Structure formats: structure tokens, C-alpha cells
Amino acid sequence: MIRFILIQNRAGKTRLAKWYMQFDDDEKQKLIEEVHAVVTVRDAKHTNFVEFRNFKIIYRRYAGLYFCICVDVSDNNLAYLEAIHNFVEVLNEYFHNVCELDLVFNFYKVYTVVDEMFLAGEIRETSQTKVLKQLLMLQSLE
Amino acid sequence: MPAVSKGDGMRGLAVFISDIRNCKSKEAEIKRINKELANIRSKFKGDKALDGYSKKKYVCKLLFIFLLGHDIDFGHMEAVNLLSSNKYTEKQIGYLFISVLVNSNSELIRLINNAIKNDLASRNPTFMCLALHCIANVGSREMGEAFAADIPRILVAGDSMDSVKQSAALCLLRLYKASPDLVPMGEWTARVVHLLNDQHMGVVTAAVSLITCLCKKNPDDFKTCISLAVSRLSRIVSSASTDLQDYTYYFVPAPWLSVKLLRLLQCYPPPEDAAVKGRLVECLETVLNKAQEPPKSKKVQHSNAKNAILFETISLIIHYDSEPNLLVRACNQLGQFLQHRETNLRYLALESMCTLASSEFSHEAVKTHIDTVINALKTERDVSVRQRAADLLYAMCDRSNAKQIVSEMLRYLETADYAIREEIVLKVAILAEKYAVDYSWYVDTILNLIRIAGDYVSEEVWYRVLQIVTNRDDVQGYAAKTVFEALQAPACHENMVKVGGYILGEFGNLIAGDPRSSPPVQFSLLHSKFHLCSVATRALLLSTYIKFINLFPETKATIQGVLRAGSQLRNADVELQQRAVEYLTLSSVASTDVLATVLEEMPPFPERESSILAKLKRKKGPGAASSLDDGRRDASSNDINGGVEPTPSTVSTPSPSADLLGLRAAPPPAAATAPASAGNLLVDVFSDGPAAQPSLGPTPEEAFLSELEPPAPESPMGLLADPAPASDPGPEDIGPPIPEADELLNKFVCKNNGVLFENQLLQIGVKSEFRQNLGRMYLFYGNKTSVQFQNFSPTVVHPGDLQTQLAVQTKRVAAQVDGGAQVQQVLNIECLRDFLTPPLLSLRFRYGGAPQSLTLKLPVTINKFFQPTEMAAQDFFQRWKQLSLPLQEAQKIFKANHPMDAEVTKAKLLGFGSALLDNVDPNPENFVGAGIIQTKALQVGCLLRLEPNAQAQMYRLTLRTSKEPVSRHLCELLAQQF
């Protein structure tokens, strides 16, 4: 299962942190820093997977943003790698060419997108069409 | 799709965010935030009632401030108010605030739960989903208690919308994981399984996750999911790339759902129904076939999605480990990936092949890729890929390729990253020992290790080479010659000096005939290193010197001169000084015969598990999954690969400062074996056994805890790893406990640690601790043979009503236990209410092909949950009188089975768990105790009195508790202890 999802920029600023298990605030901060440290030193020739504590991080870089998903060691790497991409494509469609600033100014909407696609640490919905239709519907509500 | 403009709807929020972004310094940011907080506070406190929009805006600003890392101590109430708005956007912000900033303020929880309840009942799917997401995100026990019963209903209700079902399924999953006891199984379970047939693929996607979790704890209840999952999978796999429309991702039909279904199937053995199995095998073949087809797209997304399914398919094939054809095909497929240009695929192929190497069907096929893997070790740029390559080489190693693999690993070691050197050293050491045909190769390999990576050669490794050389006389001469040559190097690692010193001290005589390595030459060579070494090494060398005096009388004068030197006799280090003084005196006063006896060659070490193997396992950390992998990796060395020669092994190792001669501790062999390396759990557990029996002193709780904590610094994460449920096979699967089970159980009534069981094959050690109504038990299964145990599965069974009285959660252990190896299992125990019978531990495994089974009683008795209570005499008698109903008292008069020693009796009573009260009983010979048994449901106060009668060699034991069966049970348990 997913333990947490992080979106960070190269400087280490967190653009989204979604936790699926209990951590206290200090621990969260520590995790955020550690993830940033392990992910940013890697280059394109490296794998998209890093062992991390008792888990592993599946990550992918889009421009200046690192999308990281922390999952159990036995979880399927490629499935989560593509789950990231699927998520990014939805964001891109929803925000119309998404950029880092969209995530900053609409942080509360990003959570909605996440909850549509991932819930309780599991993949909830994978169809981009369905997710976008739902988001659009919510958008139209007052 | 219309794009969302920046912060639309809440202009104030967008302005605030812009302001923060424009702050030039941290101070400016804090200033701006404080200004905003003051503003929001005044708005919330103001007389004018805020409209929903403003409330939403301010709550959202507070949330933003919190996410920036600042504390927020108000606004919770306003957020809760938003929950009852009938506008989606307001509700959404309210729920988001609660989900991110939840605190267990009981007043608020009640209000929040109330709002959730209303939304769940609203029949508005949008609101229902918001409420469900909130429960899933928070997942607290309070929410579990409030909603665990409602959600299954929503999930299976015919009129629930698809999106609501999706959310309900995962919401339930979260609650079940957080507090399984709150989620009642019922008629809904069958209907959940049928969600696998749902038309809406999103519902299936969510439901599979829920079922996968539930079936792990209740495999039988969910068995029907197998055939449904197979047919669903079959429909997906055989569909064309566009059939599934919305669920096709880069021409791959439903990749995530396929992966989830394949993972669900890995919870079960291969389907029993031939038709289902046939259909599944067809699916697996289809996936393997598709991997060979040309890609439908050049995009990496296409190949990733396709390969995600492929890797999960291979995992399932490995899990079944029963279809040779599929296993070999899987191996060939992975072989292709080993040379793929995508680093991800090479990495995953190496990882997956590691597990294939342990299957007897594919081991040979894996071995054919050895050159590619060696090449990966040499050329991969990503250290994690190289590490996987090293893992795979270790896994595929057997007698036929050991020399090649070991030499490649040694070569790799010279340039390996510091982070993984120690692990490589351990692996090389293990392989060299395991597959040594002639031990001269083994000795060369270890000395090479010390030469190349001396700093990373831990004590375990060099102790081990000493043990092996000591135990095998065919290699002693060679070892002496080799270390002598190695020591010639002008700069050699201190570990080399240690090994060299020890070996020459024992076997230097074997090469003394050669004038180039005559005794004086040996001595001066060693002594030339002496001054550069640490105290521990110098202490070891002093022992070598005294051994030389015995081996080579001609060196006596020189060595006595060295010992007599002021730098030794008056050395500031007390250990060195004492050795110098004692050795000097010994060499002067003892006759040759005495000297020869005292300084005799070390006796062979007792055979035990390789301490290196134990260390490698410890290094791997407490991660459940990695320990499972380990089991599989280690399994590569099992006997199908050509038989492993039983190798001498021992855990007991002399610590560097241990007195090699045993001058200060008699008898000599004990001195050599007793000082175990500190912190070695294995040693502690097993040395605890026989020694602990006579003396039942209080165990040093503190040290015990610190030892048992996982060694990794990241323990907070480790603790959160999901414990696997204690799956209960039906009673028909479990044999009756072995005849001596009761006797073994009795041994543990008054103590928590020791050897629970031992026969020729296996030893089971126990360490446990109990606090309040909770306990944690560590079981150590040691394979005493040199052959691997397979399908090793220990399970805990609750006979009769025990299920409702005692909860035991176990963690899975590796299915293979290597010869000489030991695996550990952790049990978390919760006493729910008083109980009389202990749980059973049922153990099954295959040894040399023959199934073995064993049922024991777990040493968990009601008295473990005792909390000692101190009280004054007056209170004691008052309570004693209160418990005067006939059934509250149990009494036994019995003959002493052991010598009647007051101290031993005291220790046993303390071990039993009650407090011992002095000056209560008028007769000082008598013992009086008090305690409370802590269970989740109730507490049982207990008073006890033991009256020994030394003349008659009898005891009278009286128990009074507030619960009749408990009195009787405690009385029986305790009476057997004296």
C-alpha cells in the first residue's frame, strides 16, 4: 500500500504531502527532508526506485517537480510509476498545462484530485476520463 | 476541459499566497503570517456572523499557513461548522481541514462524527464521498467505532452510486487495517466478493484492494474470490487493446486492475478446481506471450504498464512454484530484460530473478545468466542495480560456480561503494565457507577479504575463520603458512594481525621446520606489528607469545624479555599489564608439563549456526518483506544444488580481549567459548536455556528490551509495519500437542525466556515480556541440521473459546530455514479476558522432503498478565476476608518436588508475577503475595499464600481471587512449580 505521496520541487519545497499512515509532525518533516535528499541526487541513468527505510520510493521527475510515492517493498514498482504518470496527466488536463504554481495556488483542489485517484493508500480510480468527469462536475458545484 | 484559473473563487486566498511568495525573508514571511492570523482571529471573534464564503476562505488560509509549517491553534470550530454547510465548496474545505489537522479533541470529534453521519445519510453521492474520504483519511478509532457498522451497508447497498461504492470499499479497508475488531464480518462479506463481477471497473479496482486485505485474515471466508478473480483477469488479459475504453492505458487494458488481481491470487495456493486453474495458466501464458509481441507504442508508458503486469505475473508464477514450464519461461523473459536499455527493467529483472533462483525448477535457468549478471556488477552506474546484481549472484551461487562468483565479488569489493561493502564482505564469507571444497581456498578468500576491505571485516568474519581452522586439521598447516606470508606485507590490516597472531600461536609449529619461518622469525614478524596495534590486538598477541613459549622453548628467553619490559609489566592498560605479569610468572614457575597442559591447542568449537549468517540477517533489518526475500535468497544454497557439506559452525566466539588461555577462568574451554560478542541475540537466547533453570532471578528487563528492539535507527517506521494476522487453520489441521507439551509449558510459568523445545532437528527459543494486558513474544526457530527446512510455517491456534479471550498477532516468517540458520518470529499478544488454556503453536515444515509437524503449547499463561501489588498487612487481611466465598478460594496441599529453598521459592513467586509481601504472615516461613491480573475486559485481584512445611516436605498453597476459575487455575499452575 502507499504510505505517503510527496510532491517536492528541486529546492525541497513541498507542494503536496499526503499521508496514509500516522506520523507525528516532526516525523513528517524528517521524512520530507530524507526523501528530498535521496531523490534529488539521482540522475536520469538511475532507476526510478529507491530503497527507503523499510519501504521504497517510486518517483518520477517532471520539470522541476519530483513526484514521489512511498510504498511497501513488495509492491509493484512499475504499476506505481505509471500511477504517478496517470495522476500527472490528470493534473495536466485539469489545470490545463499544469505548472508548479497551479499546485501552490490550488493546493486545496489538488487534495481533491488525489482523493479521487488514491484512497486509504490504495489506487481508487485509474480512468482519466472518469476522474476528469467527476472533477468537472465538482467544479461546477457551488 | 476548461482550465482552472489561479485560486478562482477565493481571491483573498490568492492574494495572501502571492504575498507570502513575495516575502524576501523568513522574518518577513512570519510577519505576514502573524498579521493574517490576527486578522482571521478577529474575524472569527467578531460580533458579525461570518457568511459561509468568508468562513471557507479563512479556514483555507489557516490550512495554507499550517501546511507552510506553522502551528495553528484555532479555527477548528469554524472548520467543523463548514461541514454542515450545504454548499460543496464549503463542505470540501471543512473536510480537508479536518483531515489534515485532525486532533483528538473529544468535543470536536463528536461534532465531526455528527456531520459525517448526516452526510452519509444524505443520499447525495458527492457529500457521501466527502464524508467517506474524511473517514478514510483520518481512520481514527473513534470514527471506526462510529461508522464501521454503517459502511459495509453502504458498500453493498443496491442503490449506492458507483463512486460511493469505490470510496466505501477503501474507507472500510482503512478502518479494518486500523481496528479490525471494529469491523464485523457478516453476510456482506459474500456480497463484497461479488463486487469482482461489477460492471464498473473502478468499483472492481477498489474492491480488489479491500478483498486482498480481508482475505489475508480470513482466507476461507473469501475463497470464492479465486475463481471470480481468475475470470475477471482472463477477460482483461484476452481483451483487445481498445475494448476497455476508459480503462485502457497506452494500449494496455486495465493494467492496475490486472496487477491487483494478480496480487490477490498470491494470497492463495494454486486453484484446486482444474477448470479455474487451467484458465489461470492460460492467462499467465497470454501475458508471457504478449511480452514477446512487438510493442503497440514506443512510449515508455506503454511498456511500463505492460511490464507491470508481466512482473506481477512472474511473482504469481514464483509464488505457485509448481509449473516448471512457466518458471523457465519467466526466467528467459527476465534474462532478456537483463540487457535492456531501460535501467528500471534491468533492476527489476535482477530483483525478480533472485527469487527465481530459489526454485528448484528455475535455478539452473537462472544460472545461465551468470556472465550478464557479473557484467552488471561491474558496469551498472546505479549502485542499487549493482546491489541487486550482487544479491542475485549470491542467490544463484552453488558449488558449480562458487569460485567464479566469489572471485568476482572480491574484485567488485575493491571498488564497491562504502555503503554496501560490509554486506558484500559477509556474503563472500558465507559463500566461501558454504561451498568450500578445499579449505585452503576458504582461508585464501577470507584473507583476501581482510586485505581488500579490512575495515569492513567484522569480528564475526574473522572469528569464523579461526573457528574453522581450529576445527579442521587438514587446513591448519596451510593457514599458518598463508598468514605468515600475508604478515610479510609492510602494512597489513590489524584484522590480519589478529588472525595471524591467533593462528601462529596455535599452529605456528606446523611451519616451524622451514628455516624461513623458524620460531624466532615468526616471533619477530609478529612483534614487529605489536606496537602499531590496538590494546585488544596486543592482548591477543601476548597470548600468542605465551603459546610460543610452549610451542618453541627456544623463544622463551626472548619472549620473557618482552614480557618483562617495563612497557608491558607497568603498562597503563590493566588488561595488558595483567597478561604480562601472569604470563611471565607462568612461564617462570610452571614445569614443562604444566605449561603444555595449560597452553594446549584449543579444543574444537561446538557446531552452531554461522554467526556471519546471523549477522547478515540482522543487517537486513526488521522489514518483513526483506526477511522473506532473504529466506528465498538463502534458499539458493539448499541441497538441491548438490548438497551442502555440513560445516562446523558456532556462535560462541572469543572476544578479542578474552583470555585465550583461560588462565583466569576455569575450566579452560569455557573461557574460550563463554564471552559471546555483545548484543548477539542468538547467543543470549540459547545460553539462557539451561543456565536459567536453577536460578530464577529477575530478568534485567531494561537490557532485554534494548536488545530486542530492531537494530535499525528507523524503529518508528518499523513498528508501523502491518503485522500479519494470526491465521487460524481449522482444528482438523492441527495435531494434538506433543505429550511433553504440558511439562514444557510448566517450565515457563515462572520465567519468560529460555528454550521451549528441542529435538534433533530444531530448537525453539522464547523471549517474552508482558506489561499490563499486553505481551510480546519472540520465538527463535533454529535449524540444527545442515539441510534446509522448506515450507516452514509456524501458526498460532486458539482452541475452543480462547479466540475471544486472547488475541495473538503473528508476523510471517520466511518459508525456508537454511541449515544451521535461525529465524525469528514476533508475536503480539493481548489478553482480552481471563483464560485457562494456552494457545497452541503449530509448526509444519519439510525436512529432506518429509513433512514434519509439531504442536506445542505456547508459554502464555494467565499469570503473565499479573501486575504486582504492594500492600500493608492490614489491607491484605481485609481483602483476604472480602474474598471469602467458597468458590473464590482454591487450595492445594502437595509434596515438594524440588529442594525447599526459601530463596528459590521467592524467585519463583516473583517470576510468577505477584508481589511478595513481607511482614504480613505471622509465620516468617510463609510467603504471601498479591497482584492484579490485567485483561482488556476486566481485572482480577489475586491474593496468595504459600506455607512450606519443611519437616513433612509439603506445601499448602491457597489462592483467593475475585473470579472462581482463575483461583483454581492459578493454584494448579503454581503448585507444579515447587
Side-chain angles (χ1 to χ4, degrees):
Chain A
M1 71 172 273
I2 305 173
R3 301 296 169 151
F4 56 82
I5 300 177
L6 284 180
I7 305 177
Q8 301 175 313
N9 67 12
R10 255 185 302 172
K13 286 235 181 217
T14 306
R15 293 312 180 200
L16 172 85
K18 180 82 191 171
W19 309 94
Y20 294 101
M21 60 195 280
Q22 298 289 345
F23 298 104
D24 61 36
D25 290 343
D26 290 347
E27 186 67 17
K28 286 179 184 171
Q29 194 48 41
K30 232 167 90 194
L31 287 165
I32 287 173
E33 286 162 19
E34 275 179 47
V35 169
H36 181 251
V38 298
V39 166
T40 43
V41 297
R42 299 171 63 83
D43 66 33
K45 291 273 184 205
H46 287 88
T47 61
N48 293 87
F49 328 124
V50 209
E51 288 181 13
F52 183 78
R53 300 195 177 185
N54 288 330
F55 304 105
K56 61 188 177 193
I57 305 275
I58 315 290
Y59 73 97
R60 196 179 243 168
R61 186 176 157 181
Y62 293 87
L65 285 183
Y66 289 89
F67 286 69
C68 307
I69 296 193
C70 177
V71 294
D72 295 339
V73 197
S74 60
D75 278 326
N76 188 309
N77 297 39
L78 293 176
Y80 281 108
L81 185 58
E82 283 318 304
I84 292 176
H85 189 76
N86 200 29
F87 174 57
V88 171
E89 286 191 354
V90 167
L91 288 177
N92 196 45
E93 196 71 30
Y94 183 52
F95 290 111
H96 216 136
N97 273 334
V98 67
C99 68
E100 189 173 342
L101 277 189
D102 292 322
L103 305 187
V104 176
F105 281 94
N106 297 288
F107 69 97
Y108 57 97
K109 292 186 178 162
V110 179
Y111 281 100
T112 305
V113 182
V114 173
D115 279 350
E116 283 299 317
M117 301 186 74
F118 306 96
L119 193 62
E122 299 290 337
I123 294 174
R124 176 182 178 275
E125 179 57 84
T126 63
S127 155
Q128 293 185 18
T129 321
K130 289 227 162 66
V131 172
L132 287 165
K133 214 172 117 196
Q134 175 74 4
L135 290 174
L136 207 61
M137 189 277 284
L138 295 175
Q139 186 73 27
S140 70
L141 295 175
E142 206 187 329
Chain B
M1 297 283 162
V4 184
S5 64
K6 280 176 196 162
D8 69 331
M10 283 188 275
R11 219 187 118 59
L13 175 68
V15 171
F16 176 57
I17 295 176
S18 293
D19 283 359
I20 294 287
R21 289 181 54 79
N22 290 333
C23 286
K24 294 276 185 297
S25 66
K26 194 80 198 160
E27 290 71 36
E29 182 186 307
I30 291 174
K31 212 170 141 204
R32 178 69 184 88
I33 285 171
N34 284 337
K35 186 179 150 204
E36 191 64 40
L37 285 174
N39 172 44
I40 299 173
R41 200 170 304 201
S42 75
K43 296 281 188 209
F44 283 170
K45 280 203 180 137
D47 304 331
K48 213 169 64 168
L50 287 177
D51 59 8
Y53 169 80
S54 309
K55 220 183 270 174
K56 171 181 84 169
K57 185 178 72 187
Y58 293 130
V59 168
C60 205
K61 281 183 180 177
L62 285 179
L63 186 57
F64 183 79
I65 294 170
F66 176 78
L67 291 171
L68 281 178
H70 302 269
D71 284 337
I72 293 296
D73 54 6
F74 69 104
H76 299 78
M77 203 49 178
E78 285 73 15
V80 173
N81 286 342
L82 287 176
L83 298 184
S84 41
S85 161
N86 54 7
K87 293 197 170 121
Y88 165 76
T89 52
E90 290 168 17
K91 221 185 244 301
Q92 189 250 330
I93 297 295
Y95 273 121
L96 180 59
F97 187 93
I98 301 299
S99 305
V100 174
L101 264 115
V102 74
N103 67 14
S104 41
N105 182 328
S106 59
E107 190 58 23
L108 282 181
I109 284 288
R110 206 171 44 78
L111 293 171
I112 295 168
N113 280 357
N114 212 23
I116 293 178
K117 202 172 212 86
N118 289 338
D119 280 334
L120 287 182
S122 69
R123 310 185 72 83
N124 173 334
T126 306
F127 291 178
M128 288 173 85
C129 279
L130 275 179
L132 289 167
H133 292 181
C134 180
I135 302 173
N137 284 326
V138 176
S140 66
R141 190 154 180 99
E142 289 89 350
M143 286 193 178
E145 280 163 359
F147 303 111
D150 295 336
I151 294 169
R153 216 172 18 77
I154 297 174
L155 174 59
V156 297
D159 57 350
S160 286
M161 299 276 288
D162 292 329
S163 63
V164 173
K165 281 190 198 167
Q166 277 172 285
S167 299
L170 294 173
C171 182
L172 190 57
L173 169 64
R174 171 69 195 251
L175 291 183
Y176 186 76
K177 277 190 174 165
S179 2
D181 54 308
L182 293 179
V183 178
M185 293 295 144
E187 47 92 36
W188 60 273
T189 49
R191 297 174 62 185
V192 165
V193 174
H194 279 274
L195 289 177
L196 290 176
N197 269 338
D198 203 283
Q199 287 180 1
H200 190 287
M201 299 272 274
V203 172
V204 188
T205 303
V208 184
S209 292
L210 174 64
I211 296 167
T212 306
C213 172
L214 293 173
C215 82
K216 281 182 183 147
K217 294 203 182 176
N218 321 282
D220 288 336
D221 295 352
F222 289 88
K223 235 178 176 164
T224 45
C225 75
I226 302 175
S227 63
L228 292 175
V230 169
S231 62
R232 190 88 211 195
L233 182 68
S234 161
R235 268 178 283 157
I236 298 172
V237 167
S238 56
S239 64
S241 52
T242 49
D243 284 358
L244 299 176
Q245 294 168 352
D246 290 357
Y247 288 88
T248 299
Y249 178 81
Y250 288 89
F251 305 102
V252 181
W256 293 282
L257 179 54
S258 307
V259 166
K260 282 189 181 192
L261 289 167
L262 287 161
R263 291 177 70 84
L264 170 60
L265 291 170
Q266 286 171 63
C267 299
Y268 288 95
E272 286 153 17
D273 182 324
V276 176
K277 185 163 182 199
R279 199 160 178 204
L280 177 57
V281 169
E282 220 167 81
C283 284
L284 303 178
E285 279 170 345
T286 310
V287 175
L288 288 171
N289 292 340
K290 279 193 177 174
Q292 296 297 326
E293 288 170 10
K296 294 194 174 64
S297 154
K298 285 211 158 55
K299 292 251 174 159
V300 70
Q301 284 77 19
H302 171 72
S303 73
N304 279 347
K306 200 167 137 181
N307 291 328
I309 303 173
L310 177 64
F311 277 108
E312 208 57 63
T313 301
I314 292 176
S315 292
L316 183 62
I317 293 171
I318 296 171
H319 169 77
Y320 288 163
D321 197 10
S322 59
E323 302 283 332
N325 173 38
L326 290 176
L327 281 159
V328 171
R329 282 193 66 185
C331 184
N332 294 340
Q333 182 61 52
L334 294 176
Q336 290 180 16
F337 285 157
L338 286 181
Q339 314 210 41
H340 201 280
R341 61 187 163 79
E342 283 261 335
T343 315
N344 285 344
L345 286 182
R346 296 197 303 275
Y347 173 93
L348 293 171
L350 289 166
E351 187 182 63
S352 189
M353 242 187 203
C354 254
T355 46
L356 270 178
S358 66
S359 164
E360 56 177 311
F361 303 114
S362 48
H363 182 80
E364 287 303 317
V366 171
K367 273 169 63 186
T368 58
H369 300 287
I370 184 165
D371 293 332
T372 320
V373 182
I374 287 172
N375 195 40
L377 189 64
K378 287 178 179 162
T379 56
E380 285 288 352
R381 279 192 48 198
D382 184 340
V383 52
S384 61
V385 185
R386 292 199 295 275
Q387 185 150 15
R388 287 292 96 82
D391 287 347
L392 178 53
L393 285 178
Y394 179 72
M396 67 160 70
C397 191
D398 63 22
R399 190 149 296 192
S400 72
N401 55 20
K403 283 206 169 158
Q404 186 188 5
I405 286 177
V406 165
S407 79
E408 289 298 344
M409 282 181 140
L410 275 174
R411 197 167 308 153
Y412 173 57
L413 196 53
E414 297 188 33
T415 54
D417 309 72
Y418 296 111
I420 62 172
R421 281 196 180 182
E422 190 179 355
E423 195 178 323
I424 300 271
V425 166
L426 292 175
K427 285 184 166 156
V428 168
I430 290 166
L431 293 178
E433 179 186 336
K434 201 168 228 163
Y435 299 113
V437 181
D438 66 287
Y439 276 81
S440 53
W441 174 69
Y442 168 75
V443 170
D444 285 342
T445 305
I446 302 296
L447 293 186
N448 266 330
L449 273 184
I450 297 177
R451 224 181 329 236
I452 296 169
D455 285 343
Y456 298 89
V457 172
S458 57
E459 287 178 347
E460 284 88 346
V461 173
W462 69 262
Y463 288 172
R464 190 77 186 137
V465 71
L466 297 183
Q467 289 165 12
I468 287 183
V469 170
T470 306
N471 288 13
R472 309 202 133 246
D473 41 20
D474 53 333
V475 76
Q476 289 159 356
Y478 180 81
K481 181 165 160 286
T482 320
V483 293
F484 178 79
E485 280 162 7
L487 287 171
Q488 305 285 336
C492 56
H493 196 273
E494 190 164 335
N495 279 337
M496 189 68 89
V497 179
K498 289 177 181 163
V499 173
Y502 190 99
I503 289 182
L504 291 180
E506 294 292 317
F507 311 111
N509 55 328
L510 300 175
I511 57 166
D514 188 325
R516 284 167 300 176
S517 52
S518 68
V521 176
Q522 286 187 34
F523 173 73
S524 57
L525 178 60
L526 282 176
H527 201 54
S528 70
K529 317 278 179 196
F530 187 87
H531 302 282
L532 299 170
C533 289
S534 67
V535 167
T537 309
R538 276 191 268 164
L540 186 148
L541 285 178
L542 287 181
S543 300
T544 302
Y545 297 169
I546 185 74
K547 289 222 152 193
F548 270 15
I549 292 185
N550 175 46
L551 288 179
F552 317 121
E554 65 266 39
T555 59
K556 183 167 172 178
T558 322
I559 289 175
Q560 282 183 331
V562 168
L563 293 174
R564 202 176 286 122
S567 57
Q568 309 304 340
L569 274 190
R570 279 188 295 282
N571 196 299
D573 184 89
V574 64
E575 176 72 33
L576 292 179
Q577 191 187 93
Q578 186 167 2
R579 286 197 189 209
V581 171
E582 287 180 1
Y583 292 169
L584 184 61
T585 315
L586 178 71
S587 68
S588 321
V589 300
S591 69
T592 330
D593 285 352
V594 171
L595 216 51
T597 313
V598 175
L599 301 174
E600 206 181 351
E601 196 178 293
M602 292 297 286
F605 290 85
E607 302 207 353
R608 269 277 181 82
E609 175 187 3
S610 158
S611 48
I612 310 177
L613 206 55
K615 167 145 184 159
L616 183 65
K617 284 176 192 158
R618 277 204 306 278
K619 257 188 81 66
K620 280 287 173 178
S626 75
S627 73
L628 183 103
D629 282 351
D630 246 1
R632 284 190 176 175
R633 276 173 212 165
D634 292 347
S636 62
S637 56
N638 63 20
D639 52 348
I640 54 161
N641 303 331
V644 178
E645 189 171 311
T647 44
S649 54
T650 172
V651 183
S652 317
T653 43
S655 76
S657 59
D659 196 330
L660 287 166
L661 303 167
L663 284 179
R664 279 176 291 137
T673 50
S677 58
N680 189 334
L681 202 54
L682 297 167
V683 178
D684 294 347
V685 169
F686 290 116
S687 59
D688 198 9
Q693 254 167 316
S695 68
L696 275 160
T699 48
E701 282 267 300
E702 288 305 314
F704 170 56
L705 281 173
S706 63
E707 258 174 16
L708 287 177
E709 283 311 313
E714 52 270 33
S715 48
M717 298 278 278
L719 292 176
L720 292 158
D722 277 345
S727 60
D728 273 7
E732 69 276 12
D733 300 347
I734 299 301
I738 56 170
E740 59 271 34
D742 279 317
E743 199 183 313
L744 296 170
L745 180 72
N746 277 336
K747 271 174 38 186
F748 283 86
V749 168
C750 293
K751 65 170 183 172
N752 289 332
N753 307 328
V755 175
L756 176 62
F757 174 80
E758 182 156 15
N759 64 11
Q760 299 90 330
L761 299 182
L762 134 126
Q763 184 186 47
I764 306 178
V766 179
K767 269 204 164 192
S768 52
E769 48 167 334
F770 296 88
R771 204 159 288 163
Q772 305 272 9
N773 69 322
L774 301 175
R776 180 177 292 179
M777 180 176 283
Y778 294 78
L779 292 173
F780 300 88
Y781 306 98
N783 179 346
K784 290 171 65 183
T785 72
S786 55
V787 179
Q788 191 190 49
F789 293 162
Q790 283 161 328
N791 303 346
F792 188 80
S793 85
T795 41
V796 175
V797 189
H798 300 73
D801 294 338
L802 191 59
Q803 186 98 49
T804 59
Q805 297 161 344
L806 195 71
V808 182
Q809 283 199 319
T810 56
K811 293 210 170 144
R812 257 173 248 281
V813 298
Q816 283 93 6
V817 185
D818 271 3
Q822 189 192 54
V823 296
Q824 172 189 337
Q825 186 178 35
V826 187
L827 275 56
N828 286 317
I829 302 163
E830 185 182 10
C831 181
L832 304 173
R833 50 181 304 117
D834 53 302
F835 65 99
L836 303 180
T837 49
L840 300 179
L841 174 69
S842 163
L843 201 60
R844 288 151 185 284
F845 58 93
R846 295 182 79 83
Y847 165 69
Q852 307 280 334
S853 70
L854 177 72
T855 305
L856 296 168
K857 295 191 174 177
L858 262 193
V860 182
T861 43
I862 182 85
N863 63 298
K864 301 290 180 196
F865 304 98
F866 243 128
Q867 211 182 356
T869 320
E870 296 290 346
M871 57 177 82
Q874 204 183 344
D875 298 333
F876 182 86
F877 287 116
Q878 193 188 347
R879 289 183 202 196
W880 185 265
K881 275 188 208 123
Q882 282 167 357
L883 297 171
S884 57
L885 294 176
L887 286 176
Q888 289 177 330
E889 179 179 291
Q891 193 172 70
K892 242 189 154 103
I893 299 172
F894 54 94
K895 246 195 141 48
N897 281 322
H898 301 281
M900 296 176 76
D901 178 326
E903 286 310 308
V904 173
T905 307
K906 248 186 211 167
K908 284 188 182 174
L909 288 172
L910 286 172
F912 191 65
S914 63
L916 270 187
L917 307 179
D918 291 329
N919 307 323
V920 171
D921 201 301
N923 179 351
E925 302 291 307
N926 292 349
F927 300 91
V928 168
I932 297 169
I933 289 183
Q934 301 277 354
T935 77
K936 193 177 174 206
L938 72 167
Q939 300 189 332
V940 185
C942 307
L943 302 175
L944 71 86
R945 186 182 194 204
L946 181 70
E947 300 157 274
N949 180 338
Q951 263 181 333
Q953 288 289 304
M954 302 276 282
Y955 288 99
R956 177 163 68 191
L957 174 65
T958 316
L959 257 297
R960 285 191 179 184
T961 78
S962 47
K963 241 180 152 240
E964 172 259 322
V966 176
S967 304
R968 207 149 25 87
H969 184 54
L970 286 177
C971 190
E972 279 161 15
L973 282 176
L974 191 55
Q976 277 150 343
Q977 301 299 317
F978 298 100

